[in-house]
Coordinates of all heavy atoms in Angstrom, one line a residue:
M53 N 0.8 -1.2 0.0 CA 0.0 0.0 0.0 C 0.9 1.3 0.0 O 0.5 2.2 -0.6 CB -0.9 0.0 1.2 CG -1.9 1.1 1.2 SD -3.3 0.8 2.2 CE -2.9 1.6 3.7
S54 N 2.0 1.2 0.6 CA 2.8 2.4 0.7 C 3.5 2.7 -0.7 O 3.8 3.9 -0.9 CB 3.9 2.2 1.8 OG 4.7 1.2 1.4
E55 N 3.6 1.7 -1.5 CA 4.2 2.0 -2.8 C 3.3 2.8 -3.7 O 3.6 3.4 -4.7 CB 4.7 0.7 -3.5 CG 3.6 -0.2 -3.8 CD 3.4 -1.2 -2.7 OE1 4.0 -1.1 -1.6 OE2 2.5 -2.1 -2.9
H56 N 1.9 2.7 -3.5 CA 1.0 3.4 -4.3 C 0.7 4.8 -3.8 O 0.0 5.6 -4.4 CB -0.3 2.7 -4.4 CG -0.2 1.3 -5.0 ND1 0.2 1.2 -6.3 CD2 -0.3 0.1 -4.5 CE1 0.3 -0.1 -6.6 NE2 0.0 -0.8 -5.5
A57 N 1.1 5.2 -2.6 CA 0.8 6.5 -2.0 C 1.4 7.6 -2.8 O 0.8 8.7 -2.9 CB 1.3 6.5 -0.6
S58 N 2.6 7.4 -3.4 CA 3.2 8.5 -4.1 C 2.4 8.9 -5.4 O 2.4 10.0 -5.8 CB 4.7 8.2 -4.5 OG 4.7 7.0 -5.3
T59 N 1.8 7.9 -6.0 CA 1.1 8.2 -7.2 C -0.3 8.9 -6.9 O -0.8 9.7 -7.7 CB 0.8 6.9 -8.1 OG1 0.1 6.0 -7.3 CG2 2.1 6.3 -8.5
V60 N -0.8 8.5 -5.8 CA -2.1 9.1 -5.4 C -1.9 10.5 -4.9 O -2.8 11.4 -5.2 CB -2.8 8.3 -4.3 CG1 -4.0 8.9 -3.8 CG2 -3.1 6.9 -4.8
L61 N -0.8 10.8 -4.2 CA -0.6 12.1 -3.6 C 0.2 13.1 -4.5 O 0.7 14.0 -4.0 CB 0.0 11.9 -2.3 CG -0.8 11.1 -1.2 CD1 0.0 10.9 0.0 CD2 -2.1 11.8 -0.9
T62 N 0.3 12.8 -5.7 CA 1.1 13.7 -6.6 C 0.3 15.1 -6.7 O -0.9 15.1 -6.8 CB 1.3 13.2 -8.0 OG1 0.1 12.9 -8.6 CG2 2.2 11.9 -7.9
P63 N 1.1 16.2 -6.7 CA 0.4 17.5 -6.7 C -0.2 17.7 -8.1 O 0.4 17.3 -9.2 CB 1.5 18.5 -6.5 CG 2.8 17.7 -6.7 CD 2.5 16.3 -6.5
Q64 N -1.4 18.2 -8.1 CA -2.1 18.6 -9.4 C -1.8 20.0 -9.7 O -1.6 20.9 -8.9 CB -3.6 18.4 -9.2 CG -4.0 16.9 -8.9 CD -3.7 16.0 -10.0 OE1 -3.7 16.3 -11.2 NE2 -3.3 14.8 -9.7
P65 N -1.7 20.4 -11.0 CA -1.5 21.8 -11.4 C -2.7 22.6 -11.0 O -3.9 22.2 -11.0 CB -1.4 21.7 -12.9 CG -2.0 20.4 -13.3 CD -1.8 19.5 -12.2
A66 N -2.4 23.8 -10.5 CA -3.5 24.7 -10.0 C -4.3 25.2 -11.2 O -3.8 25.4 -12.3 CB -2.9 25.9 -9.3
A67 N -5.6 25.3 -11.0 CA -6.5 25.8 -12.1 C -6.3 27.3 -12.2 O -6.1 28.0 -11.2 CB -8.0 25.5 -11.7
P68 N -6.4 27.7 -13.5 CA -6.2 29.2 -13.6 C -7.4 29.9 -13.1 O -8.5 29.5 -13.2 CB -6.2 29.4 -15.2 CG -6.8 28.2 -15.7 CD -6.6 27.1 -14.7
S69 N -7.1 31.1 -12.4 CA -8.2 31.8 -11.8 C -8.9 32.6 -12.9 O -8.3 33.2 -13.8 CB -7.6 32.8 -10.8 OG -6.7 33.7 -11.4
P70 N -10.2 32.7 -12.8 CA -11.0 33.4 -13.9 C -10.8 34.9 -13.7 O -10.5 35.4 -12.6 CB -12.4 33.1 -13.6 CG -12.5 32.7 -12.2 CD -11.1 32.1 -11.9
E71 N -10.8 35.6 -14.8 CA -10.7 37.1 -14.8 C -11.9 37.7 -14.2 O -13.0 37.3 -14.4 CB -10.5 37.6 -16.2 CG -9.3 37.2 -16.9 CD -8.0 37.9 -16.2 OE1 -8.1 39.0 -15.8 OE2 -7.0 37.2 -16.1
P72 N -11.7 38.7 -13.3 CA -12.9 39.3 -12.7 C -13.7 40.1 -13.7 O -13.1 40.7 -14.6 CB -12.3 40.3 -11.7 CG -10.9 40.5 -12.1 CD -10.5 39.2 -12.9
R73 N -15.0 40.1 -13.6 CA -15.9 40.8 -14.5 C -16.1 42.2 -14.2 O -16.4 43.0 -15.0 CB -17.3 40.1 -14.5 CG -17.3 38.7 -15.1 CD -18.6 38.2 -14.9 NE -19.1 37.6 -16.2 CZ -20.3 37.1 -16.4 NH1 -21.2 37.1 -15.4 NH2 -20.6 36.5 -17.5
V74 N -15.8 42.6 -12.9 CA -16.0 43.9 -12.5 C -14.8 44.8 -12.9 O -13.7 44.4 -12.7 CB -16.2 43.9 -10.9 CG1 -16.4 45.4 -10.4 CG2 -17.3 43.0 -10.5
K75 N -15.2 45.9 -13.5 CA -14.1 46.9 -13.8 C -13.6 47.6 -12.6 O -14.3 47.8 -11.6 CB -14.7 47.9 -14.8 CG -15.1 47.4 -16.1 CD -15.7 48.6 -16.9 CE -16.3 48.1 -18.2 NZ -16.9 49.2 -19.0
K76 N -12.4 48.0 -12.6 CA -11.8 48.8 -11.5 C -12.4 50.2 -11.6 O -12.5 50.7 -12.7 CB -10.3 48.8 -11.6 CG -9.7 47.4 -11.3 CD -8.2 47.5 -11.3 CE -7.6 46.1 -11.0 NZ -6.2 46.2 -10.9
H77 N -12.8 50.7 -10.5 CA -13.4 52.0 -10.5 C -12.4 53.1 -10.5 O -11.6 53.2 -9.6 CB -14.3 52.1 -9.3 CG -15.3 51.0 -9.2 ND1 -16.3 50.9 -10.1 CD2 -15.5 50.0 -8.3 CE1 -17.1 49.8 -9.8 NE2 -16.6 49.3 -8.7
T78 N -12.4 53.9 -11.5 CA -11.6 55.1 -11.5 C -12.6 56.3 -11.6 O -13.8 56.1 -11.7 CB -10.6 55.1 -12.7 OG1 -11.4 55.1 -13.9 CG2 -9.7 53.9 -12.6
A79 N -12.0 57.5 -11.5 CA -12.9 58.7 -11.6 C -13.6 58.8 -12.9 O -14.8 59.2 -13.0 CB -12.0 59.9 -11.4
S80 N -13.0 58.3 -14.0 CA -13.6 58.5 -15.3 C -14.6 57.3 -15.6 O -15.6 57.5 -16.3 CB -12.6 58.5 -16.4 OG -11.9 57.2 -16.4
S81 N -14.4 56.1 -15.0 CA -15.3 55.0 -15.2 C -16.4 55.0 -14.2 O -17.3 54.1 -14.3 CB -14.5 53.7 -15.3 OG -14.1 53.4 -14.0
G82 N -16.4 55.9 -13.2 CA -17.5 55.9 -12.2 C -18.8 56.1 -12.8 O -19.8 55.5 -12.4
R83 N -18.9 57.0 -13.7 CA -20.2 57.3 -14.4 C -20.6 56.2 -15.2 O -21.8 55.8 -15.2 CB -20.0 58.6 -15.2 CG -21.2 59.0 -15.9 CD -20.9 60.3 -16.7 NE -22.0 61.2 -16.6 CZ -22.0 62.4 -17.1 NH1 -21.1 62.8 -17.9 NH2 -23.0 63.2 -16.9
E84 N -19.7 55.5 -15.9 CA -20.1 54.4 -16.7 C -20.6 53.2 -15.9 O -21.5 52.5 -16.2 CB -18.9 53.9 -17.6 CG -18.5 54.9 -18.6 CD -17.2 54.5 -19.3 OE1 -16.7 53.4 -19.1 OE2 -16.7 55.3 -20.1
F85 N -19.9 53.0 -14.7 CA -20.3 52.0 -13.8 C -21.7 52.2 -13.3 O -22.5 51.3 -13.1 CB -19.3 51.9 -12.6 CG -19.7 50.9 -11.6 CD1 -19.5 49.5 -11.9 CD2 -20.2 51.3 -10.4 CE1 -19.9 48.6 -10.9 CE2 -20.6 50.4 -9.4 CZ -20.4 49.0 -9.7
L86 N -22.0 53.5 -13.0 CA -23.3 53.8 -12.5 C -24.4 53.5 -13.5 O -25.4 52.9 -13.2 CB -23.4 55.3 -12.1 CG -24.7 55.9 -11.7 CD1 -25.2 55.2 -10.4 CD2 -24.7 57.4 -11.5
F87 N -24.2 53.9 -14.7 CA -25.2 53.6 -15.8 C -25.3 52.1 -16.1 O -26.4 51.6 -16.3 CB -24.8 54.4 -17.1 CG -25.1 55.9 -17.0 CD1 -24.1 56.8 -17.2 CD2 -26.4 56.3 -16.6 CE1 -24.4 58.1 -17.1 CE2 -26.7 57.7 -16.5 CZ -25.7 58.6 -16.8
D88 N -24.2 51.4 -16.0 CA -24.2 50.0 -16.2 C -25.0 49.3 -15.1 O -25.8 48.4 -15.4 CB -22.8 49.4 -16.3 CG -22.1 49.8 -17.6 OD1 -22.7 50.2 -18.5 OD2 -20.8 49.7 -17.6
S89 N -24.8 49.7 -13.9 CA -25.5 49.1 -12.8 C -27.0 49.4 -12.9 O -27.9 48.5 -12.6 CB -25.0 49.5 -11.4 OG -25.2 50.9 -11.3
I90 N -27.4 50.6 -13.3 CA -28.8 50.9 -13.5 C -29.4 50.1 -14.6 O -30.5 49.5 -14.4 CB -29.0 52.4 -13.8 CG1 -28.6 53.2 -12.5 CG2 -30.4 52.7 -14.2 CD1 -28.6 54.7 -12.8
T91 N -28.8 49.9 -15.7 CA -29.4 49.1 -16.8 C -29.4 47.7 -16.4 O -30.4 47.0 -16.7 CB -28.5 49.3 -18.1 OG1 -27.2 49.0 -17.8 CG2 -28.7 50.7 -18.6
T92 N -28.4 47.2 -15.7 CA -28.5 45.8 -15.2 C -29.7 45.6 -14.3 O -30.4 44.6 -14.4 CB -27.2 45.4 -14.5 OG1 -26.1 45.6 -15.4 CG2 -27.2 43.9 -14.1
E93 N -29.9 46.5 -13.4 CA -31.0 46.4 -12.4 C -32.3 46.4 -13.1 O -33.2 45.7 -12.8 CB -30.9 47.5 -11.4 CG -32.0 47.5 -10.4 CD -31.9 48.6 -9.3 OE1 -30.7 49.0 -9.1 OE2 -32.9 49.0 -8.8
R94 N -32.5 47.3 -14.2 CA -33.7 47.4 -14.9 C -34.0 46.1 -15.7 O -35.1 45.6 -15.8 CB -33.7 48.6 -15.8 CG -33.9 49.8 -15.1 CD -34.2 51.0 -16.0 NE -34.4 52.2 -15.2 CZ -34.4 53.4 -15.7 NH1 -34.1 53.6 -17.0 NH2 -34.6 54.4 -15.0
I95 N -32.9 45.5 -16.3 CA -33.1 44.3 -17.0 C -33.5 43.2 -16.1 O -34.4 42.4 -16.4 CB -31.7 43.9 -17.7 CG1 -31.5 44.9 -18.9 CG2 -31.8 42.5 -18.2 CD1 -30.1 44.7 -19.5
D96 N -32.9 43.1 -14.9 CA -33.3 42.1 -13.9 C -34.8 42.2 -13.5 O -35.5 41.2 -13.3 CB -32.4 42.1 -12.7 CG -31.0 41.7 -13.0 OD1 -30.8 41.0 -14.0 OD2 -30.1 42.0 -12.2
T97 N -35.3 43.5 -13.3 CA -36.6 43.6 -12.8 C -37.6 43.5 -14.0 O -38.8 43.2 -13.7 CB -36.8 45.0 -12.2 OG1 -36.5 46.0 -13.2 CG2 -36.0 45.2 -10.9
E98 N -37.2 43.7 -15.2 CA -38.2 43.5 -16.3 C -38.4 42.1 -16.7 O -39.4 41.8 -17.3 CB -37.6 44.3 -17.6 CG -37.7 45.8 -17.4 CD -37.0 46.5 -18.6 OE1 -36.5 45.8 -19.5 OE2 -37.1 47.7 -18.6
N99 N -37.6 41.2 -16.3 CA -37.7 39.8 -16.6 C -38.8 39.1 -15.8 O -39.2 38.0 -16.1 CB -36.4 39.0 -16.5 CG -35.4 39.4 -17.5 OD1 -35.8 39.9 -18.6 ND2 -34.2 39.2 -17.2
T100 N -39.3 39.7 -14.8 CA -40.3 39.1 -13.9 C -41.7 39.3 -14.6 O -42.0 40.4 -14.9 CB -40.3 39.6 -12.5 OG1 -40.5 41.0 -12.6 CG2 -39.0 39.4 -11.8
D101 N -42.4 38.2 -14.8 CA -43.8 38.3 -15.3 C -44.8 38.6 -14.2 O -44.8 37.9 -13.2 CB -44.1 37.0 -16.0 CG -43.2 36.8 -17.3 OD1 -42.8 37.8 -17.9 OD2 -43.0 35.6 -17.6
A102 N -45.6 39.6 -14.4 CA -46.6 40.0 -13.4 C -47.8 39.1 -13.6 O -48.4 38.9 -14.6 CB -47.0 41.4 -13.6
S103 N -48.2 38.4 -12.5 CA -49.4 37.6 -12.5 C -50.6 38.5 -12.3 O -50.4 39.6 -11.8 CB -49.3 36.5 -11.4 OG -49.4 37.1 -10.1
P104 N -51.8 38.0 -12.5 CA -53.0 38.8 -12.3 C -53.1 39.2 -10.8 O -53.6 40.3 -10.5 CB -54.1 38.0 -12.7 CG -53.6 37.0 -13.7 CD -52.1 36.8 -13.3
W105 N -52.7 38.3 -9.9 CA -52.9 38.6 -8.5 C -51.9 39.7 -8.1 O -52.3 40.6 -7.3 CB -52.6 37.4 -7.6 CG -53.8 36.5 -7.6 CD1 -53.9 35.3 -8.3 CD2 -55.0 36.7 -7.0 NE1 -55.1 34.7 -8.0 CE2 -55.9 35.6 -7.2 CE3 -55.6 37.7 -6.2 CZ2 -57.2 35.5 -6.8 CZ3 -56.8 37.6 -5.7 CH2 -57.6 36.5 -6.0
S106 N -50.7 39.7 -8.6 CA -49.7 40.7 -8.2 C -50.2 42.1 -8.8 O -50.0 43.1 -8.2 CB -48.3 40.4 -8.7 OG -48.2 40.3 -10.1
T107 N -50.7 42.1 -10.0 CA -51.3 43.3 -10.6 C -52.4 43.9 -9.7 O -52.5 45.1 -9.5 CB -51.7 43.1 -12.0 OG1 -50.6 42.5 -12.8 CG2 -52.2 44.3 -12.7
F108 N -53.3 43.0 -9.3 CA -54.4 43.4 -8.5 C -53.9 44.0 -7.1 O -54.4 45.1 -6.7 CB -55.3 42.2 -8.2 CG -56.4 42.5 -7.1 CD1 -57.5 43.2 -7.5 CD2 -56.3 41.9 -5.9 CE1 -58.5 43.5 -6.5 CE2 -57.2 42.2 -4.9 CZ -58.3 43.0 -5.2
F109 N -53.0 43.3 -6.5 CA -52.5 43.8 -5.2 C -51.7 45.1 -5.4 O -51.7 46.0 -4.5 CB -51.6 42.8 -4.5 CG -52.5 41.7 -3.9 CD1 -52.2 40.4 -4.2 CD2 -53.5 42.0 -3.1 CE1 -53.0 39.3 -3.7 CE2 -54.3 40.9 -2.5 CZ -54.0 39.6 -2.9
T110 N -51.0 45.3 -6.5 CA -50.3 46.5 -6.8 C -51.3 47.7 -6.9 O -51.1 48.8 -6.4 CB -49.4 46.4 -8.0 OG1 -48.5 45.3 -7.8 CG2 -48.6 47.7 -8.3
G111 N -52.4 47.4 -7.7 CA -53.4 48.4 -7.8 C -54.1 48.8 -6.5 O -54.3 49.9 -6.2
L112 N -54.3 47.8 -5.7 CA -54.9 48.0 -4.4 C -54.0 48.8 -3.5 O -54.4 49.7 -2.7 CB -55.2 46.6 -3.7 CG -56.0 46.6 -2.5 CD1 -57.4 47.1 -2.8 CD2 -56.1 45.2 -1.9
L113 N -52.7 48.6 -3.6 CA -51.7 49.3 -2.8 C -51.7 50.8 -3.2 O -51.7 51.7 -2.4 CB -50.3 48.7 -3.0 CG -49.2 49.3 -2.2 CD1 -49.3 49.0 -0.8 CD2 -47.9 48.8 -2.8
W114 N -51.8 51.1 -4.5 CA -51.8 52.4 -5.0 C -53.1 53.1 -4.6 O -53.1 54.3 -4.3 CB -51.6 52.5 -6.5 CG -50.1 52.3 -6.9 CD1 -49.6 51.3 -7.4 CD2 -49.1 53.3 -6.7 NE1 -48.2 51.5 -7.6 CE2 -47.9 52.7 -7.2 CE3 -49.1 54.6 -6.1 CZ2 -46.7 53.4 -7.1 CZ3 -47.9 55.3 -6.1 CH2 -46.7 54.7 -6.6
V115 N -54.2 52.4 -4.6 CA -55.5 53.0 -4.2 C -55.4 53.4 -2.7 O -55.8 54.5 -2.2 CB -56.7 52.1 -4.4 CG1 -57.9 52.5 -3.7 CG2 -56.9 52.0 -5.9
G116 N -54.8 52.5 -1.9 CA -54.6 52.8 -0.5 C -53.7 54.0 -0.2 O -54.0 54.8 0.6
Y117 N -52.6 54.1 -1.0 CA -51.7 55.3 -0.9 C -52.5 56.5 -1.2 O -52.4 57.5 -0.5 CB -50.5 55.1 -1.8 CG -49.5 54.2 -1.4 CD1 -48.6 53.6 -2.3 CD2 -49.3 53.9 -0.1 CE1 -47.6 52.7 -1.9 CE2 -48.3 53.0 0.4 CZ -47.5 52.4 -0.6 OH -46.5 51.6 -0.2
S118 N -53.3 56.5 -2.3 CA -54.0 57.7 -2.7 C -55.0 58.1 -1.6 O -55.2 59.3 -1.3 CB -54.6 57.6 -4.1 OG -55.6 56.5 -4.0
I119 N -55.7 57.1 -1.0 CA -56.7 57.4 0.0 C -56.0 58.0 1.2 O -56.4 59.0 1.8 CB -57.5 56.2 0.4 CG1 -58.4 55.8 -0.7 CG2 -58.3 56.4 1.7 CD1 -59.1 54.5 -0.6
A120 N -54.8 57.5 1.6 CA -54.1 58.0 2.8 C -53.6 59.4 2.5 O -53.6 60.2 3.4 CB -52.9 57.1 3.0
I121 N -53.2 59.7 1.3 CA -52.7 61.1 1.0 C -53.9 62.0 1.0 O -53.8 63.1 1.6 CB -52.0 61.1 -0.4 CG1 -50.6 60.4 -0.3 CG2 -51.8 62.5 -0.9 CD1 -50.0 60.1 -1.6
A122 N -55.0 61.6 0.5 CA -56.2 62.5 0.5 C -56.7 62.8 2.0 O -57.0 63.9 2.3 CB -57.3 61.9 -0.3
V123 N -56.7 61.7 2.8 CA -57.1 61.9 4.2 C -56.1 62.8 4.9 O -56.5 63.7 5.7 CB -57.2 60.6 4.9 CG1 -57.3 60.7 6.4 CG2 -58.4 59.8 4.4
A124 N -54.8 62.7 4.7 CA -53.8 63.5 5.3 C -53.9 65.0 4.9 O -53.8 65.9 5.7 CB -52.4 63.0 4.9
M125 N -54.2 65.2 3.6 CA -54.4 66.6 3.1 C -55.7 67.2 3.7 O -55.7 68.4 4.1 CB -54.5 66.6 1.6 CG -53.2 66.3 0.9 SD -53.3 66.2 -0.9 CE -53.9 67.9 -1.3
I126 N -56.8 66.4 3.9 CA -58.0 66.9 4.5 C -57.7 67.3 6.0 O -58.2 68.3 6.5 CB -59.1 65.9 4.4 CG1 -59.6 65.9 2.9 CG2 -60.3 66.3 5.3 CD1 -60.5 64.7 2.6
L127 N -57.0 66.5 6.7 CA -56.7 66.7 8.1 C -55.8 68.0 8.3 O -56.0 68.8 9.2 CB -56.0 65.5 8.7 CG -56.9 64.3 9.0 CD1 -56.0 63.1 9.5 CD2 -58.0 64.6 10.0
V128 N -54.8 68.1 7.4 CA -54.0 69.3 7.5 C -54.8 70.6 7.1 O -54.6 71.6 7.8 CB -52.7 69.2 6.5 CG1 -52.0 70.5 6.3 CG2 -51.8 68.1 7.0
W129 N -55.6 70.5 6.1 CA -56.4 71.6 5.8 C -57.4 72.0 6.9 O -57.6 73.2 7.2 CB -57.2 71.3 4.5 CG -58.1 72.4 4.1 CD1 -57.8 73.6 3.5 CD2 -59.6 72.4 4.2 NE1 -58.9 74.4 3.3 CE2 -60.0 73.7 3.7 CE3 -60.5 71.5 4.7 CZ2 -61.4 74.0 3.6 CZ3 -61.8 71.9 4.6 CH2 -62.2 73.1 4.1
S130 N -58.0 71.0 7.5 CA -58.9 71.3 8.6 C -58.1 71.9 9.8 O -58.6 72.8 10.5 CB -59.6 70.0 9.1 OG -60.3 70.1 10.2
A131 N -57.0 71.4 10.1 CA -56.2 71.9 11.3 C -55.7 73.3 11.0 O -55.8 74.2 11.8 CB -55.0 71.0 11.5
A132 N -55.3 73.6 9.7 CA -54.9 74.9 9.4 C -56.1 75.9 9.4 O -55.9 77.1 9.9 CB -54.3 74.9 8.0
R133 N -57.2 75.5 9.0 CA -58.4 76.4 9.1 C -58.8 76.7 10.5 O -59.1 77.8 10.8 CB -59.6 75.6 8.4 CG -60.8 76.6 8.2 CD -61.9 75.9 7.4 NE -62.3 74.8 8.3 CZ -63.3 74.0 8.0 NH1 -63.9 74.1 6.9 NH2 -63.7 73.1 8.9
E134 N -58.7 75.7 11.4 CA -59.0 75.9 12.8 C -57.9 76.9 13.5 O -58.3 77.7 14.3 CB -59.0 74.6 13.6 CG -60.2 73.8 13.3 CD -61.5 74.4 13.7 OE1 -61.6 75.1 14.8 OE2 -62.5 74.3 12.9
L135 N -56.7 76.8 13.0 CA -55.7 77.7 13.6 C -55.8 79.1 13.1 O -55.4 80.0 13.8 CB -54.3 77.2 13.2 CG -53.8 75.9 13.9 CD1 -52.4 75.5 13.3 CD2 -53.6 76.2 15.4
L136 N -56.4 79.3 11.9 CA -56.5 80.6 11.4 C -57.7 81.4 12.0 O -57.9 82.6 11.9 CB -56.7 80.6 9.9 CG -55.4 80.2 9.2 CD1 -55.7 80.1 7.7 CD2 -54.3 81.2 9.4
R137 N -58.6 80.7 12.7 CA -59.8 81.3 13.3 C -59.5 82.1 14.5 O -58.7 82.1 15.3 CB -60.9 80.3 13.6 CG -61.6 79.8 12.4 CD -62.7 79.0 12.9 NE -63.4 78.5 11.6 CZ -64.4 77.7 11.7 NH1 -64.9 77.2 12.8 NH2 -65.0 77.3 10.6

């Protein structure tokens, strides 16, 4: 068994490391990096398909936001009117 240990334990050549995909940030490439990250984020969010339920809940959320804003405006208007009296 000891005569086979040298063939099993021979060192293997190291795998080459892959090149990094991220560009190094310099002052001139900062703007390009910003635009690249925005477009990548938009591409990632556009790939999701909206189901009818998610569309319904999104609409319901916006209706709730608009009602909350209207109520807040009415309360502020009412309080301001009372303060001016």
Side-chain angles (χ1 to χ4, degrees):
M53 186 158 97
S54 64
E55 63 270 2
H56 297 295
S58 63
T59 59
V60 174
L61 299 176
T62 56
Q64 300 293 328
S69 62
E71 291 294 322
R73 293 176 132 185
V74 179
K75 295 179 184 177
K76 292 185 179 182
H77 304 294
T78 61
S80 63
S81 69
R83 183 180 223 180
E84 293 173 8
F85 177 75
L86 176 65
F87 287 123
D88 289 343
S89 66
I90 291 171
T91 55
T92 303
E93 182 178 328
R94 285 193 179 162
I95 289 171
D96 291 342
T97 57
E98 288 175 358
N99 289 337
T100 58
D101 294 329
S103 69
W105 282 108
S106 65
T107 304
F108 171 74
F109 287 125
T110 302
L112 190 64
L113 183 70
W114 281 107
V115 168
Y117 284 156
S118 61
I119 290 171
I121 290 171
V123 168
M125 289 176 63
I126 290 169
L127 290 174
V128 168
W129 178 73
S130 175
R133 190 177 64 177
E134 289 295 321
L135 286 174
L136 292 176
R137 283 188 182 178

